[in-house]
Amino acid sequence: MPSRDDILAFIAENPGKAGKREIARHFGIVGAARIHLKKQLKELAEEGSIEKRKKRMIRPGDLPSVLVVNLNTRSRDGELLGTPTNWDPEHGNPPNILILQEQRRGKSGPQVGVGDRALVRLNEQDPGPQASYCARVIRRLQKQESTILGILRIDPTTKAVHLEPVDRRVKEVDIDPRDLKEAEDGDLVSVAVHKVGRYGIARASVEHRIGSMNSEHAVSEIALYSQNIPNVFPDEVLAEAESAKPVKQQNREDWRDIPLITIDPADAKDHDDAVFAQADDDPENEGGVVVYVAIADVAAYVTPGSDMDREAQKRGNSVYFPDRVIPMLPERISNNLCSLREKEERPAMATRMVFDAEGQKISHTFHRVIMRSAAKLSYQQAQKAIEGITDDKTEVLLEDVLKPLWQAYAVLKKGRDKRAPLELDLPERKILLKEDGTVDRVVVPERLDAHKLIEEFMIQANVAAAETLESKNSALLYRIHDASTPEKLENLRDFLSTMNIKLPHQGGLRASVFNNILDRVKDTPNSPLVNEVVLRSQAQAEYHPQNIGHFGLNLRRYAHFTSPIRRYADLIVHRALIASLNLGKDGLPSGFEDKLEVIAGEISAAERRAMLAERETIDRLIALWLADQVGAKFTGRIAGVTKSGLFVRLQDSGADGFVPASTIGNDYYAYEEAAHALIGRATRETFQLGDTVEVRLAEAAPFAGALRFEILSPGKISSDMGRRKPTTKKKNWSQRTGKPAGLRKSKSRKKR
């Protein structure tokens, strides 16, 4: 048997490629010795020396074979260097990656430069002393732009004009005052940068006036710019969309008489799924139900290799802001031809699923159909009808459509309860805007059975798609969710131990284990805290052509099928079904499976940047909303603890702000990672994740989307939490009490 060091060395030399099989083959391990290898790998994983990722072993901090990098500098030899776009700071500084410029048969590979973002594949060449890895570019994801977004600043005395860039890494530039495009001081504008002479200073002219920074539109523009999200369709893409003709029946099954309905948010503009259910009339399936799910047939309009297809792949998904959507597809497609509008004929990809009385799926089939939505309902409208409050539209649907849907959901819920997916209780807040685009209020929408019904129907349709394609040995993009890493589980275990809750050490943890923990703290003051920490212990879901299952949903196979209007992954699944089931000539092209790993990396990265843009916009809007309330007092909950201070989330608005450690109390506060707490060394005063506190708003920075609070509440006095001895270090002064405060200085940090 190889030693531990031998195994770790092999994994280090083959990051992302060393699975149990590869390790056994390399060291010649056969027969019963494989059992000892499995035990050795398990021990290495439990102590945090290795991580398992898609059946491959890597060391903590190692990179996957395909990843997205920011190309941000060059070495002294002129070689291009990049760093991973997604990097966990817990592993230290991001490693440098040497970018190899590929030359094959006289043709160069993708051309990239400093400032670009690229999808790369790691290479086994020696990177030399200037980097930790070598990589070859698969595709450039963005190109360096000469356009800068920023705030226009006009000096009232000299009338000199300059731009304060949104990206703080970009230097301020002077603007030609003769070309302001009617922009005023304080407006958000985009400018084109030019140089005066060969070695002259940079000057700029206003290209587009976006408007006042107080509006949601301007705030979301900042997020689009900072995350490099394309939001203007090229002319050729719009022309292709406008030339599209409505699809007729053309060899499709006729489902127009099935009373499928759409149930969506009240303000939804596109409708990509419709549902219907009925009791199964098969005497051998007593108590069973038949569920129909019809999904907009985007593949009928967006064909592989077309201009719309390339743009959709580039965008990856739609991006949702409080007052608008940046769609993946032009509105002619997303809001018109593919939207399952009420009483209008539309092409659809549909599945018919049969469930027994216990909610277990017996069978399913896929169909390419023409359908006609019987009604468009909102979640609240459908829910009220079931609760006995009908209107003119729901009155006629109640008996034959709505009640059978809820009866089917009751059956499917039995199966869901047995499956026991991860059930986190983390309410989502929604920003409501005034007519001028500013924040009116922040609300927590009620979670209705209507929401859960549609969610469960969509999950089952997604499972059916994955099962069908897997049975046909088809290329497929799975939606995967890995189990937590040993390090995250150990941190969670340490935290739960402070509440006398045990997390098992042995065996593969299932979602039900976490649910049991959440049930123990339900309806207690610790419930929000434990839900938050359990969430942070989970891995992030992504797309990949190799299946490892979906841990959170507790499903062995799962693919996204139900939203091709807004997710490119779903469009690929639709095309794969069309090709595998011979439902048309517009299916997935042959040989496409070779591209799936690259596409999975692109659209997973696009999903993460969309989430960041949405979160940044909400942060900036709330900071704008609270900017005139500096000095006001609020109640909040500690939502994060770091060495440099506390993150506090306000109770009413969900706004997040930071409390620097140097402004807390009259003690030196030590960070106890296991307890997620700052603890006074002398007083034992404790501020822990989940604590309810009162704070004063000290500063609001709308431009950065940041809030700074001063804590007003005293901490809990703890005698058993933390292990550090009291200190007699010199103290500075607290802004809260006017008494000596902790020495720890707050680090500059805008947002968690």
Side-chain angles (χ1 to χ4, degrees):
M1 289 292 294
S3 68
R4 291 161 49 92
D5 290 342
D6 289 336
I7 292 176
L8 291 173
F10 178 73
I11 292 172
E13 292 167 2
N14 299 273
K17 299 179 182 178
K20 184 171 65 176
R21 182 182 300 174
E22 288 75 14
I23 295 172
R25 185 184 300 123
H26 178 78
F27 291 106
I29 301 172
V30 296
R34 286 175 173 264
I35 298 174
H36 298 290
L37 174 63
K38 182 178 179 181
K39 181 180 179 182
Q40 203 164 13
L41 292 175
K42 183 178 179 182
E43 290 173 352
L44 288 170
E46 288 178 345
E47 71 184 34
S49 296
I50 62 174
E51 296 177 0
K52 188 176 181 182
R53 187 180 295 172
K54 305 182 184 74
K55 297 185 179 181
R56 296 291 185 267
M57 309 295 175
I58 65 169
R59 298 177 307 170
D62 278 346
L63 300 178
S65 57
V66 176
L67 70 156
V68 178
V69 298
N70 292 322
L71 308 177
N72 40 32
T73 188
R74 290 188 182 273
S75 69
R76 286 175 294 181
D77 298 328
E79 299 284 355
L80 193 60
L81 297 175
T83 54
T85 301
N86 295 298
W87 178 257
D88 191 345
E90 291 181 0
H91 298 315
N93 294 326
N96 280 328
I97 302 170
L98 178 65
I99 305 301
L100 302 173
Q101 300 287 1
E102 192 168 16
Q103 295 283 342
R104 289 183 181 176
R105 297 179 184 177
K107 294 184 178 180
S108 61
Q111 296 301 300
V112 293
V114 173
D116 286 340
R117 179 179 294 184
L119 188 71
V120 304
R121 187 185 300 277
L122 295 184
N123 188 280
E124 295 180 357
Q125 286 185 228
D126 181 8
Q130 69 269 47
S132 303
Y133 299 88
C134 274
R136 293 192 184 277
V137 176
I138 297 172
R139 181 171 302 173
R140 183 175 63 180
L141 301 182
Q142 69 181 61
K143 65 180 181 179
Q144 196 169 14
E145 301 286 353
S146 60
T147 299
I148 300 176
L149 196 70
I151 305 297
L152 191 72
R153 300 299 186 194
I154 303 176
D155 189 297
T157 304
T158 64
K159 303 301 180 185
V161 185
H162 71 276
L163 185 81
E164 184 181 327
V166 167
D167 187 344
R168 298 305 175 95
R169 297 169 296 180
V170 178
K171 294 181 180 179
E172 292 186 355
V173 292
D174 294 329
I175 296 178
D176 188 341
R178 297 168 298 180
D179 189 15
L180 296 182
K181 298 289 193 301
E182 299 182 353
E184 300 175 354
D185 182 55
D187 280 350
L188 182 68
V189 297
S190 62
V191 302
V193 180
H194 316 282
K195 281 192 175 180
V196 180
R198 184 174 181 181
Y199 301 104
I201 62 170
R203 291 186 67 86
S205 58
V206 174
E207 277 194 333
H208 179 56
R209 176 183 179 269
I210 297 168
S212 168
M213 262 296 292
N214 292 327
S215 69
E216 192 280 343
H217 184 80
V219 171
S220 58
E221 283 289 332
I222 295 176
L224 292 172
Y225 177 82
S226 63
Q227 296 300 327
N228 295 291
I229 296 175
N231 66 324
V232 177
F233 286 106
D235 292 340
E236 60 271 20
V237 174
L238 293 173
E240 188 174 87
E242 290 301 321
S243 64
K245 305 297 182 185
V247 172
K248 302 300 181 183
Q249 187 166 349
Q250 296 174 344
N251 302 320
R252 293 171 178 269
E253 295 181 41
D254 190 348
W255 280 28
R256 286 175 291 189
D257 290 336
I258 298 177
L260 293 150
I261 64 170
T262 62
I263 305 178
D264 290 296
D267 56 355
K269 294 182 179 179
D270 55 61
H271 310 277
D272 50 10
D273 57 81
V275 295
F276 176 67
Q278 60 187 18
D280 190 1
D281 57 9
D282 185 345
E284 296 185 4
N285 188 29
E286 185 176 354
V289 294
V290 181
V291 172
Y292 300 80
V293 175
I295 305 298
D297 192 353
V298 176
Y301 293 100
V302 183
T303 55
S306 64
D307 290 325
M308 281 196 292
D309 181 49
R310 286 193 293 270
E311 183 69 15
Q313 183 179 334
K314 175 183 175 184
R315 295 182 176 222
N317 47 252
S318 299
V319 185
Y320 291 83
F321 295 121
D323 79 328
R324 61 174 175 152
V325 176
I326 307 301
M328 183 181 78
L329 296 167
E331 290 192 8
R332 163 79 172 159
I333 302 297
S334 60
N335 290 357
N336 187 347
L337 295 178
C338 285
S339 184
L340 305 181
R341 292 181 173 182
E342 186 178 65
K343 308 298 185 184
E344 295 186 21
E345 293 184 6
R346 288 290 185 269
M349 284 286 295
T351 181
R352 180 183 184 273
M353 300 174 287
V354 181
F355 296 85
D356 66 19
E358 296 303 311
Q360 301 301 310
K361 182 156 63 66
I362 298 174
S363 65
H364 69 267
T365 53
F366 279 90
H367 312 260
R368 213 169 187 190
V369 307
I370 197 81
M371 59 156 287
R372 184 192 295 116
S373 171
K376 178 186 76 170
L377 302 181
S378 68
Y379 288 114
Q380 292 77 11
Q381 193 177 13
Q383 187 70 43
K384 285 182 178 179
I386 287 295
E387 293 172 356
I389 306 173
T390 58
D391 55 30
D392 292 342
K393 184 180 288 187
T394 56
E395 177 69 33
V396 297
L397 297 170
L398 184 60
E399 294 298 326
D400 296 332
V401 178
L402 291 175
K403 285 186 177 180
L405 279 172
W406 257 256
Q407 290 162 2
Y409 170 60
V411 171
L412 267 62
K413 189 175 182 301
K414 294 180 184 178
R416 177 185 174 88
D417 291 342
K418 289 179 182 177
R419 193 175 80 239
L422 185 60
E423 300 281 7
L424 290 169
D425 182 17
L426 294 167
E428 295 185 6
R429 289 169 169 81
K430 182 177 181 179
I431 291 182
L432 301 181
L433 302 175
K434 301 176 184 176
E435 291 185 4
D436 62 0
T438 58
V439 176
D440 181 20
R441 63 187 189 278
V442 181
V443 299
V444 178
E446 185 181 1
R447 177 83 167 148
L448 305 172
D449 281 346
H451 293 103
K452 299 174 185 177
L453 180 152
I454 295 298
E455 179 183 274
E456 188 60 25
F457 281 22
M458 297 304 112
I459 288 173
Q460 294 299 333
N462 289 336
V463 171
E467 290 176 347
T468 294
L469 290 174
E470 200 171 89
S471 70
K472 297 291 183 179
N473 296 316
S474 169
L476 169 60
L477 271 189
Y478 291 95
R479 180 66 168 177
I480 62 171
H481 182 214
D482 208 349
S484 302
T485 63
E487 297 96 320
K488 288 185 176 181
L489 287 177
E490 194 58 38
N491 290 337
L492 177 62
R493 191 174 286 112
D494 289 343
F495 166 72
L496 293 174
S497 68
T498 66
M499 298 182 176
N500 294 319
I501 299 175
K502 291 185 179 180
L503 184 68
H505 281 272
Q506 301 298 325
L509 294 182
R510 304 178 72 88
S512 57
V513 174
F514 295 102
N515 288 340
N516 290 336
I517 292 170
L518 297 174
D519 285 341
R520 285 187 60 180
V521 298
K522 189 176 181 180
D523 299 325
T524 72
N526 287 328
S527 179
L529 166 63
V530 176
N531 274 268
E532 187 79 31
V533 177
V534 169
L535 173 65
R536 295 180 188 187
S537 73
Q538 303 304 306
Q540 188 169 19
E542 59 181 323
Y543 297 103
H544 204 276
Q546 294 181 1
N547 185 31
I548 62 169
H550 197 293
F551 177 82
L553 293 175
N554 199 12
L555 292 168
R556 294 179 60 187
R557 52 189 63 86
Y558 189 65
H560 272 165
F561 160 76
T562 53
S563 294
I565 286 177
R566 62 184 180 92
R567 293 189 304 229
Y568 192 74
D570 302 55
L571 179 54
I572 290 177
V573 170
H574 276 232
R575 289 172 178 166
L577 288 167
I578 291 168
S580 299
L581 301 175
N582 297 315
L583 296 176
K585 298 180 180 180
D586 46 2
L588 207 60
S590 60
F592 198 79
E593 57 271 12
D594 296 336
K595 304 177 182 178
L596 285 182
E597 186 174 356
V598 173
I599 292 174
E602 289 179 348
I603 61 180
S604 294
E607 179 183 52
R608 288 190 287 271
R609 75 184 181 189
M611 292 169 63
L612 282 171
E614 292 164 5
R615 190 168 66 220
E616 286 177 4
T617 297
I618 290 174
D619 289 343
R620 289 189 175 102
L621 281 173
I622 291 181
L624 272 169
W625 184 44
L626 295 177
D628 59 354
Q629 298 185 52
V630 171
K633 297 179 182 179
F634 300 92
T635 299
R637 190 179 293 274
I638 297 176
V641 183
T642 70
K643 293 179 181 179
S644 54
L646 307 171
F647 290 96
V648 174
R649 181 167 300 150
L650 300 187
Q651 197 171 72
D652 294 334
S653 65
D656 285 303
F658 188 61
V659 180
S662 60
T663 66
I664 302 174
N666 58 354
D667 198 352
Y668 183 92
Y669 289 84
Y671 174 53
E672 293 295 336
E673 184 176 6
H676 293 265
L678 287 180
I679 303 174
R681 288 185 172 179
T683 63
R684 314 306 296 161
E685 186 181 33
T686 300
F687 295 92
Q688 187 182 27
L689 187 70
D691 286 351
T692 298
V693 292
E694 187 177 13
V695 295
R696 177 188 292 115
L697 178 59
E699 181 184 2
F703 196 50
L707 302 171
R708 182 170 64 83
F709 296 133
E710 295 172 357
I711 201 156
L712 302 177
S713 305
K716 299 178 295 186
I717 301 300
S718 173
S719 58
D720 58 349
M721 201 176 294
R723 296 177 295 276
R724 302 194 183 192
K725 295 180 179 180
T727 182
T728 57
K729 289 188 177 182
K730 182 180 177 181
K731 299 175 176 130
N732 55 23
W733 293 93
S734 165
Q735 295 181 26
R736 173 169 70 91
T737 63
K739 299 176 182 179
L743 277 176
R744 190 178 303 281
K745 295 181 179 179
S746 63
K747 298 179 182 178
S748 176
R749 182 161 180 172
K750 296 178 185 175
K751 181 73 180 69
R752 175 169 57 84

